[in-house]
Amino acid sequence: MTKLGVNIDHIATLREARKINEPDPIYGAVLAELGGADGITVHLRSDRRHIQDRDIRLLSQTVKTKLNIEMAATKEMFKIACEVKPYSVTLVPERKDEVTTEGGLDVILHSSTIKPLIQDYHSHDILVSIFVDPDNDQIKACSKLGVDIIEINTGKYADEENEQRQMVELEKIKNASRIASKTGLRVAAGHGLNYRNVIPVAEIPAIEELNIGHSIIGMAVFSGLENAVREMKTLIKNL
Ligand code: PXP
């Protein structure tokens, strides 16, 4: 059965739009777990645009499933992760002006930084996942570096509007996940997955977990809106 990791960054994005203390992603994590999430993922960005240090500290104490923190491969983030001790960290590339993570980490280019960092994480009993494009050389490099899990970037597959080209992207994900699991890597996938495009990816046998954020939080806005209005109406109507 494919597991579901729920990315709750967007709850923090909404909170930061007002710079107040609600909606609280901690509450979101509890509800996601009640809904069946197998894990909670947050991205602690260097610019702290959504998730804050306080969030990951509290999540590490309250998440009942497993906490996965996406972060850049930097010393600052390593220090924070060691204090919080999540189940896993997912190393991602970060560009200051990007709206969301734009692609996988180039592990071949950055191997000299990543290799010792993986060993440091392991010495603190934290599993290391790396967000990579479905590229066989990148996958093989992950295996050589001693990575525990790879998260295959499904962004290109999700964004492709042409059906034939989308199938080509799907094949790349299938091949990459097969190669990864043959080399002993655990395989996750995510980015851009939604209620329309998720099934072909969930059907790939080697993929054990999907990480999904935007579409789930977007759906939650609509599936909860009617009740939220009704509750407010009930509160004020008899005054
Ligand atoms: N995986 C990684 C590495 C990400 O950066 C993100 C977005 O924060 C996701 C998965 C989830 O992507 P989406 O929000 O498009 O579902």
Side-chain angles (χ1 to χ4, degrees):
M1 199 180 66
T2 313
K3 292 190 173 132
L4 176 64
V6 178
N7 181 314
I8 57 170
D9 291 349
H10 280 0
I11 301 174
T13 301
L14 196 55
R15 175 191 63 194
E16 296 305 311
R18 279 289 170 94
K19 298 273 174 221
I20 53 174
N21 57 12
E22 60 184 11
D24 194 331
I26 315 307
Y27 188 39
V30 171
L31 292 182
E33 288 186 321
L34 285 175
D38 300 291
I40 300 295
T41 293
V42 287
H43 186 167
L44 185 70
R45 282 188 165 270
S46 307
D47 63 9
R48 307 297 196 274
R49 69 171 78 156
H50 40 55
I51 293 294
Q52 306 296 314
D53 298 55
R54 162 268 185 204
D55 299 329
I56 59 164
R57 272 199 303 277
L58 288 176
L59 286 168
S60 75
Q61 293 163 23
T62 53
V63 165
K64 300 271 189 292
T65 52
K66 52 194 174 103
L67 177 63
N68 171 46
I69 308 181
E70 292 172 10
M71 45 177 47
T74 63
K75 287 207 172 108
E76 182 210 355
M77 289 298 153
F78 172 71
K79 199 167 159 268
I80 295 171
C82 290
E83 283 162 20
V84 169
K85 280 207 169 270
Y87 172 80
S88 58
V89 292
T90 298
L91 304 180
V92 296
E94 250 180 45
R95 205 171 57 78
K96 217 169 108 235
D97 301 325
E98 68 188 1
V99 175
T100 180
T101 315
E102 289 171 339
L105 187 64
D106 188 338
V107 285
I108 299 171
L109 185 67
H110 299 291
S111 63
S112 59
T113 324
I114 295 172
K115 193 171 182 184
L117 193 57
I118 294 172
Q119 287 161 353
D120 289 344
Y121 273 117
H122 284 167
S123 68
H124 285 80
D125 291 326
I126 299 170
L127 296 179
V128 180
S129 168
I130 297 199
F131 186 57
V132 278
D133 292 328
D135 173 293
N136 297 347
D137 292 336
Q138 292 288 334
I139 310 284
K140 285 178 196 156
C142 283
S143 167
K144 278 199 196 128
L145 288 171
V147 171
D148 303 288
I149 307 163
I150 55 154
E151 180 179 334
I152 298 177
N153 178 12
T154 52
K156 269 200 177 161
Y157 158 80
D159 290 345
E160 184 55 67
E161 286 172 8
N162 175 287
E163 209 174 310
Q164 260 180 338
R165 285 199 292 269
Q166 191 177 44
M167 287 308 108
V168 173
E169 294 303 326
L170 184 65
E171 277 308 308
K172 286 186 198 165
I173 298 168
K174 282 184 185 170
N175 283 335
S177 46
R178 200 167 32 234
I179 288 171
S181 91
K182 262 196 195 155
T183 64
L185 288 162
R186 290 169 59 187
V187 186
H191 213 280
L193 297 176
N194 60 37
Y195 295 84
R196 290 179 302 281
N197 64 23
V198 72
I199 288 175
V201 180
E203 281 173 345
I204 299 172
I207 295 180
E208 65 175 69
E209 182 164 319
L210 299 177
N211 269 316
I212 307 182
H214 185 87
S215 62
I216 292 178
I217 304 301
M219 175 65 94
V221 170
F222 292 121
S223 57
L225 187 60
E226 201 179 326
N227 274 340
V229 172
R230 197 164 288 125
E231 267 189 46
M232 184 59 81
K233 188 87 185 182
T234 308
L235 209 60
I236 63 174
K237 79 176 170 203
N238 295 325
L239 299 179

